[in-house]
Amino acid sequence: MLVHIIEKELRDIVGSAKFAVNFSIGTALILLSFYTGAQNHRIAQEQHEAALAANVRQYEGVTDWMRVQSFRIFLPPQPVAALVNGVSNDIGRTVEVRGRGELRSQDSRYGDDPIFAMFRFLDLDFIVTVILTLFAVLFGYDAVNGEKERGTLRLTFANAVPRTVFITGKCAGTFLGLAVPLIIPFLLGALLLPVFGVPMSGPDWTALALVTGAGLLTMGAYLLLSVWVSARTERSSTSFLVLLSVWIMTVIVLPRLSAAGADLFVSVPSMDEVNSQKSRFMSQLWNEDRTKMNGFTPANKGDVQEVMKEFNRYMQTLADDREKRFNEFAGRLNEERANRQMEHRRLTQYLSCLSPAALFTLAASELAGTSLRLEEEYLAQAREYQKEYARFMKEKTGTNTGGFAMVFRMVTDDNAEKPKPINIAEVPAFRFVPPAAEAGLPPFTIFSGTIALYALLSFAGAYRAFRTYDVR
Amino acid sequence: MSVHTMLEAVNLSKRYEDGALAVDDVSFSVRPGEIFAMLGGNGAGKTTTINIFLNFLEPTAGEARINGIAAHRAPLEAKRHVAFVSENVMLYPTFTAVQNLDYFARLGGKTQYTADDYRRVLLRVGLQEEAHHKKLKGFSKGMRQKCGIAIAILKDAPAILLDEPTSGLDPKSGFEFMQLLGSLRDEGKAVLMSTHDIFRAKETADTIGIMRQGRLVMQRSRAGLAGEDLERLYMEHMAGVHE
Ligand SMILES: Nc1ncnc2c1ncn2[C@@H]1O[C@H](COP(=O)(O)OP(=O)(O)OP(=O)(O)O)[C@@H](O)[C@H]1O
Ligand SMILES: [Mg+2]
């Protein structure tokens, strides 16, 4: 009997005009999101290569490694990130690496082209959180009370149909009726990726499949919620209004409010605040060092070259000492801010967990490697690279340039042979290793598990409500 | 319980939450091969009585039994023995007549029917053949009623409940419908029908009951009505002359 009800539900949905319209729109949007994802990936890849080339060109004709003050590294675009943008467009892709000092990322996609930030991109996150959840509401809002209004519920229950079987069949049938057809555009879109030249690796495919699964699960959660509400209300117009409000709250309002809500409990000092504190401390250090510099007395006053060398050494110790003190201070500030930020993020996530749609956003970005961890990961790898770069530069120049050191050199020998240009390709290359999908798997599982929990609760609610539903 | 009783109301009462006493201590029984027609004005309690048989409503007192099973105690078991045609049959508008028949037949536990069975039953209830594979959304009320009775026939249950089944049927269809009901009776079905059609009730029914304000104020067999003017009796009961 359950099979008959599921089958009927499937046929009822697929045969309806509502389905034809929604399915066409859904298919078009899903394919479009894959297409724009692929396009964006291609553009990002081109920009990335151009930036790498420009970076090298910048040092053309440079003959002295001393003149290489800094070296730029870039965050390469990742295929899945093009489909689940997360924060990938918001964080800086470029880091200017010096031999020492703090690293900061700059030049984000949205920073470069703010118009995109205004309306964001059409990615899978948008498809799921906005389009699929809306479909779920549109197809679920009258699941039970609509049958009553249409008068078919009476005839159904004139038969020996257990209510539990009916409500289970209703839920399963509606879900399958929506999910199975939607798999087609998802598969088509996925097939388009290699065609459009997006290099998908094995783990990329796995991540995409899991994200799609979580998307359908999210749709299922909204669908079951809709069935529940429709079994709690007499009229479908009422359930539609209720569900529309829930949808607006959980899809649009809550995710936006959660960060602001968390602000009420945890305040994170702004970056400006931290930076100004840092620069105040830095100028204080400089003032101290300037007095020290005035007290520099060379041991060997005769030889200019010797004096120069001695001065450079002296400056180097000052710089080292200054850097050490500054780093301690900045480290403390950074850590304090990072801790606050961590707390703030956690609270924001807890608050947004009230919304299945927000949970999907969190889950998907974890697997796509575009969660909040992306920037941390990038900077962490950049800091590792900085050490390597510093070692290299020390080898080339005998001193650690960059940071805040000042280097004085005198060129006295005019007859020396013409200096040869440096080969910038010798600088060690930065290779970003995307955080393994495995790292995203535990949070992904927790977030999608919570979505599943919502789905289960809604089903239990629908089940309970329908036990005493007036089928007349 | 008598084996000869298929549908039975035993001191049945129903008081709605708002206090209205819609059915008041009603008792009657319908045997296999018998048509029981319930007459009565609007709001007399006919639909309420039928709803109790289908366990859509719980009785406040008494029992509605189908094949000896109290509907509110073992609803699933009781409903296996009964088919139902409502006043306004509503089916799935995106399904064809045959698809609707197939679905409800399966719900009724009948999975063995073939396309030919569906064709034959639809012809039997008088639905023209070109409509069999049309979607229900274009059907007139009468066409839907015909599908409804076809579904009831397919369920092949020993008891049939009908709530004003001929409302909306044209005179010819109404006549054919009553003939059909007669043939179902001859097959041994126990039929409980509410109706406003005194003339047809008198023609077809074996027993006639009149309800007024929730009470069954008159119940007579066809033999007991011989020579009586049913219309006059009805009017008198409605006016409360016999109380
Ligand atoms: N859900 C309800 N809540 C309260 N009272 C109700 C409800 N349904 C019906 N009633 C009342 O119960 C009484 C009997 O109604 P019922 O529908 O059984 O009459 P009926 O004989 O079928 O009338 P009709 O010939 O108009 O169909 C009426 O007084 C009606 O107002
Ligand atoms: Mg009625």
Side-chain angles (χ1 to χ4, degrees):
Chain A
M1 180 165 312
L2 181 64
V3 176
H4 301 147
I5 294 173
I6 292 176
E7 209 178 293
K8 176 230 92 181
E9 207 55 49
L10 276 174
R11 214 189 288 169
D12 195 19
I13 285 185
V14 176
S16 69
K18 182 162 78 173
F19 177 80
V21 172
N22 281 300
F23 180 68
S24 320
I25 295 175
T27 301
L29 287 179
I30 290 169
L31 290 178
L32 193 63
S33 80
F34 275 92
Y35 175 75
T36 47
Q39 283 301 95
N40 277 342
H41 183 72
R42 194 179 52 75
I43 293 169
Q45 190 64 42
E46 281 168 13
Q47 284 176 348
H48 180 66
E49 275 152 24
L52 284 175
N55 196 34
V56 170
R57 212 174 310 121
Q58 188 189 330
Y59 299 101
E60 259 170 29
V62 174
T63 53
D64 188 348
W65 283 104
M66 272 298 201
R67 301 274 297 276
V68 179
Q69 296 273 331
S70 66
F71 189 73
R72 248 179 278 186
I73 59 170
F74 308 94
L75 181 64
Q78 303 297 324
V80 185
L83 297 167
V84 181
N85 296 164
V87 298
S88 62
N89 291 317
D90 303 80
I91 66 170
R93 311 197 72 89
T94 312
V95 169
E96 184 134 16
V97 181
R98 292 168 191 277
R100 56 174 101 208
E102 290 196 306
L103 298 181
R104 200 162 300 146
S105 61
Q106 58 199 41
D107 300 337
S108 71
R109 180 84 201 270
Y110 284 157
D112 294 347
D113 277 318
I115 184 65
F116 291 116
M118 184 81 95
F119 300 113
R120 322 290 293 187
F121 287 104
L122 182 89
D123 67 345
L124 283 185
D125 181 51
F126 174 84
I127 294 288
V128 170
T129 56
V130 178
I131 307 294
L132 295 196
T133 57
L134 198 58
F135 280 8
V137 168
L138 286 179
F139 281 89
Y141 80 96
D142 64 347
V144 174
N145 54 20
E147 285 236 15
K148 181 173 171 166
E149 285 170 342
R150 283 193 278 167
T152 42
L153 211 51
R154 276 168 68 84
L155 191 51
T156 303
F157 282 98
N159 290 293
V161 180
R163 288 181 176 227
T164 52
V165 170
F166 180 81
I167 196 76
T168 309
K170 195 88 203 172
C171 292
T174 321
F175 178 71
L176 291 177
L178 283 186
V180 172
L182 281 174
I183 289 178
I184 300 167
F186 275 114
L187 277 180
L188 271 179
L191 286 179
L192 282 182
L193 290 176
V195 175
F196 282 125
V198 180
M200 295 284 284
S201 68
D204 286 343
W205 286 118
T206 312
L208 183 58
L210 285 173
V211 166
T212 309
L216 294 178
L217 179 67
T218 309
M219 184 179 76
Y222 276 87
L223 191 67
L224 291 171
L225 179 75
S226 306
V227 175
W228 181 15
V229 173
S230 88
R232 286 286 311 243
T233 43
E234 279 296 306
R235 285 145 49 98
S236 58
S237 53
T238 314
S239 53
F240 185 70
L241 264 179
V242 170
L243 284 163
L244 195 65
S245 319
V246 171
W247 186 85
I248 291 172
M249 280 310 292
T250 57
V251 173
I252 301 189
V253 179
L254 241 169
R256 278 151 213 250
L257 266 190
S258 47
D263 254 354
L264 295 177
F265 303 100
V266 183
S267 68
V268 182
S270 74
M271 215 53 214
D272 286 340
E273 229 169 283
V274 172
N275 284 342
S276 76
Q277 257 175 297
K278 281 184 197 167
S279 51
R280 263 204 308 280
F281 187 68
M282 188 40 110
S283 49
Q284 186 190 325
L285 290 179
W286 269 107
N287 283 339
E288 285 172 22
D289 281 1
R290 215 165 281 136
T291 0
K292 283 183 202 159
M293 269 186 250
N294 289 341
F296 171 74
T297 34
N300 193 340
K301 286 187 180 153
D303 189 340
V304 182
Q305 288 285 357
E306 269 311 304
V307 171
M308 224 48 196
K309 260 189 204 153
E310 204 181 324
F311 183 69
N312 273 351
R313 264 199 307 278
Y314 181 69
M315 291 299 285
Q316 183 80 45
T317 37
L318 280 188
D320 284 344
D321 183 49
R322 195 169 56 235
E323 193 195 8
K324 198 169 143 252
R325 290 176 62 193
F326 179 80
N327 282 351
E328 270 169 21
F329 179 79
R332 225 176 21 251
L333 283 187
N334 288 347
E335 195 183 311
E336 214 169 283
R337 182 169 190 276
N339 285 343
R340 289 287 192 92
Q341 206 169 31
M342 248 358 244
E343 215 177 311
H344 185 259
R345 278 181 195 177
R346 207 168 301 137
L347 191 58
T348 304
Q349 288 189 350
Y350 285 147
L351 288 177
S352 63
C353 280
L354 291 171
S355 154
L359 279 165
F360 172 80
T361 302
L362 293 170
S365 67
E366 286 291 348
L367 267 198
T370 54
S371 71
L372 291 167
R373 288 184 301 127
L374 176 62
E375 188 170 30
E376 284 154 26
E377 186 67 36
Y378 179 36
L379 287 178
Q381 291 189 26
R383 277 191 287 273
E384 278 308 304
Y385 173 79
Q386 183 180 32
K387 289 182 198 154
E388 199 184 333
Y389 171 78
R391 261 196 309 277
F392 171 82
M393 290 308 277
K394 182 110 189 226
E395 226 169 73
K396 285 288 176 196
T397 62
T399 166
N400 187 358
T401 58
F404 314 100
M406 276 193 293
V407 177
F408 299 93
R409 262 169 82 104
M410 268 174 113
V411 181
T412 44
D413 194 352
D414 290 329
N415 307 325
E417 64 177 288
K418 223 172 154 41
K420 281 204 275 297
I422 60 167
N423 178 11
I424 198 69
E426 284 177 45
V427 179
F430 171 68
R431 276 201 186 78
F432 180 69
V433 184
E438 291 95 75
L441 210 52
F444 171 83
T445 312
I446 291 172
F447 291 133
S448 11
T450 316
I451 301 175
L453 190 69
Y454 275 118
L456 215 64
L457 281 177
S458 298
F459 179 69
Y463 193 90
R464 235 179 83 102
F466 194 64
R467 268 201 323 207
T468 53
Y469 193 78
D470 183 357
V471 298
R472 273 179 304 156
Chain B
M1 183 198 86
S2 152
V3 278
H4 293 298
T5 302
M6 185 50 70
L7 292 166
E8 191 176 18
V10 184
N11 304 115
L12 198 60
S13 294
K14 174 68 192 179
R15 190 183 287 281
Y16 283 106
E17 288 76 39
D18 63 1
L21 188 59
V23 177
D24 185 3
D25 197 24
V26 166
S27 297
F28 62 82
S29 62
V30 190
R31 280 162 312 186
E34 179 185 356
I35 296 178
F36 185 107
M38 256 194 299
L39 296 173
N42 295 126
K46 305 181 294 292
T47 300
T48 305
T49 304
I50 289 175
N51 279 341
I52 297 171
F53 272 98
L54 292 167
N55 192 44
F56 292 164
L57 287 172
E58 284 232 351
T60 313
E63 281 186 1
R65 297 182 191 147
I66 301 169
N67 199 21
I69 306 154
H72 70 289
R73 289 193 210 285
L76 291 182
E77 188 49 34
K79 285 185 207 178
R80 275 185 232 290
H81 305 288
V82 71
F84 169 59
V85 182
S86 73
E87 178 182 352
N88 188 3
V89 173
M90 297 302 275
L91 301 170
Y92 291 99
T94 54
F95 293 3
T96 66
V98 168
Q99 285 171 336
N100 269 297
L101 256 56
D102 184 55
Y103 172 60
F104 283 105
R106 284 167 191 276
L107 274 194
K110 297 279 189 283
T111 50
Q112 76 276 24
Y113 290 128
T114 62
D116 198 48
D117 292 325
Y118 295 132
R119 186 177 151 270
R120 248 179 301 148
V121 74
L122 283 173
L123 288 176
R124 182 177 175 195
V125 299
L127 190 75
Q128 61 276 38
E129 191 149 12
E130 58 268 27
H132 293 189
H133 293 282
K134 286 221 173 92
K135 288 194 173 161
L136 251 285
K137 57 184 163 208
F139 276 30
S140 70
K141 179 165 183 220
M143 291 162 83
R144 277 187 281 121
Q145 291 304 107
K146 287 173 182 171
C147 291
I149 185 80
I151 287 169
I153 293 172
L154 286 172
K155 187 163 180 187
D156 196 23
I160 305 177
L161 300 172
L162 306 105
D163 194 2
E164 292 177 41
T166 50
S167 80
L169 291 188
D170 63 59
K172 179 171 168 285
S173 299
F175 173 74
E176 287 167 358
F177 184 87
M178 291 316 255
Q179 281 201 316
L180 189 66
L181 220 52
S183 72
L184 287 171
R185 178 231 348 251
D186 298 342
E187 286 170 19
K189 311 287 188 201
V191 180
L192 170 63
M193 170 178 68
S194 87
T195 180
H196 290 298
D197 191 338
I198 298 174
F199 174 71
R200 290 238 168 78
K202 193 180 169 189
E203 293 269 287
T204 332
D206 302 288
T207 313
I208 289 186
I210 296 180
M211 283 190 84
R212 178 170 180 262
Q213 292 176 357
R215 277 175 302 119
L216 190 62
V217 290
M218 189 208 87
Q219 180 177 341
R220 287 210 208 168
S221 65
R222 187 199 290 270
L225 278 170
E228 291 260 23
D229 182 352
L230 182 58
E231 199 154 3
R232 208 200 70 231
L233 260 181
Y234 177 83
M235 288 306 172
E236 284 174 6
H237 276 291
M238 288 297 102
V241 171
H242 295 268
E243 278 164 43

